[in-house]
Amino acid sequence: MNLSELLNISVLSLYEGELLGVVDKLYFDKKLKKLMEIELIGENDTRLRLPTKNIYHIGKNAITVKNNQAVSLKVEESALNPAPLNFKAYSIKGEFLGVVKEISLSEKFLTEKFVLDNGTTLEIKNLASSGKNTIIFYDQLGSVNVHKFVPNKTPKIFKTPKPTIANVMPIDYQTKQEEIIEKVETNEKTNAVIIDEKKETQNADFLLGRVCTKDIFNFNNEILIKAHGIINKKNLKEINKYGKLRELMLFSK
């Protein structure tokens, strides 16, 4: 029996003497080893399901079932694989073999052979896998098992790093620093900020060993400390010299 012989033929109920519908689609199990289900277009374009186990006989012009209880209303898409007619066939090495034009079935609806448009026939034992529009065959039996290529059941989860939150200096220190800034005097020649370096660097000693979270520049757009840099006495003194202590406090951790 050829699969194409089942398409577009009528399905008759013997007990009721009723035409139930016309075959429209065919569905196999997931490994394409057996034809499992037939989909019919019934009256008023109603979609009906007919499991092949409920078929009484397949004749030249019609399929017969015992009674109308053999079919049921289709309420959702089938989880089975659609018949791979007109699927492109490839070998597991990527060689194009042809297009599937026919499938040979046994009387019990078991798949026997696939017939391609160029006349090539491939047995079911050579089948590797089948998808939505492509069917894959083995070059040599036993050379590889594609079922071992199953993907991980749980996809990898890539965690998004949490945003860095700058440590805000305590309010009492901030108030003290504002008082310090008020004492700053601007050097007109260098446009640098000159303050009492020794005193104010000592007040900021708690910053030593912290990590700066952003680039900090002087007034000439020269970098004083880079992001992720470690605060030490040398760069702390330079930062203090240009009045950038407050910025360093806000962007360090």
Side-chain angles (χ1 to χ4, degrees), residues 25 28 45 63 85 101 107 109 119 122 124 132 143 149 163 179-180 200 206 211 228 236 244:
K25 295 179 181 179
F28 285 77
D45 292 330
I63 295 173
L85 292 176
K101 287 300 180 182
E107 291 184 358
F109 305 104
L122 296 164
I124 183 63
K132 294 181 179 179
S143 60
F149 301 159
E179 294 174 356
I180 294 170
E200 305 315 327
F206 74 95
V211 177
H228 310 300
L236 182 62
K244 294 287 184 173

Side-chain angles (χ1 to χ4, degrees), residues 11 20 40 48-51 54 65 67-73:
V11 177
L20 299 178
L40 315 178
L48 302 172
R49 298 171 59 250
L50 171 61
N54 293 344
V65 296
N67 53 56
N68 58 19
Q69 296 299 304
V71 299
S72 60
L73 185 66

Side-chain angles (χ1 to χ4, degrees), residues 88-98 122 124-130 134-149:
K88 291 183 177 180
Y90 290 86
S91 73
I92 59 172
K93 293 182 180 178
E95 178 187 357
F96 177 65
L97 303 176
L122 296 164
I124 183 63
K125 65 182 181 181
N126 295 103
L127 178 67
S129 64
S130 178
T134 304
I135 189 166
I136 311 294
F137 291 91
Y138 289 114
D139 293 306
Q140 291 180 329
L141 290 179
S143 60
V144 66
N145 185 355
V146 299
H147 298 294
K148 293 182 179 179
F149 301 159

Side-chain angles (χ1 to χ4, degrees), residues 190-204:
T190 62
N191 199 30
V193 179
I194 309 300
I195 60 177
D196 186 345
E197 295 178 4
K198 184 176 180 180
K199 179 179 178 181
E200 305 315 327
T201 302
Q202 289 175 349
N203 290 335

Side-chain angles (χ1 to χ4, degrees), residues 3-101:
L3 191 70
S4 60
E5 296 172 1
L6 303 178
L7 289 169
N8 301 316
I9 67 172
S10 301
V11 177
L12 306 175
S13 168
L14 296 177
Y15 179 77
E16 290 84 8
E18 180 184 356
L19 173 63
L20 299 178
V22 176
V23 176
D24 183 52
K25 295 179 181 179
L26 303 163
Y27 293 95
F28 285 77
D29 62 8
K30 292 190 176 181
K31 293 185 178 181
L32 300 184
K33 289 187 176 182
K34 185 178 181 179
L35 180 66
M36 301 295 294
E37 185 177 288
I38 292 174
E39 184 175 321
L40 315 178
I41 300 179
E43 188 177 358
N44 299 322
D45 292 330
T46 303
R47 292 278 172 173
L48 302 172
R49 298 171 59 250
L50 171 61
T52 53
K53 65 181 181 180
N54 293 344
I55 292 175
Y56 179 72
H57 185 74
I58 296 177
K60 183 177 180 180
N61 303 113
I63 295 173
T64 58
V65 296
K66 292 180 180 180
N67 53 56
N68 58 19
Q69 296 299 304
V71 299
S72 60
L73 185 66
K74 179 183 176 181
V75 294
E76 59 185 12
E77 288 299 321
S78 176
L80 298 169
N81 280 11
L85 292 176
N86 298 317
F87 279 28
K88 291 183 177 180
Y90 290 86
S91 73
I92 59 172
K93 293 182 180 178
E95 178 187 357
F96 177 65
L97 303 176
V99 177
V100 178
K101 287 300 180 182

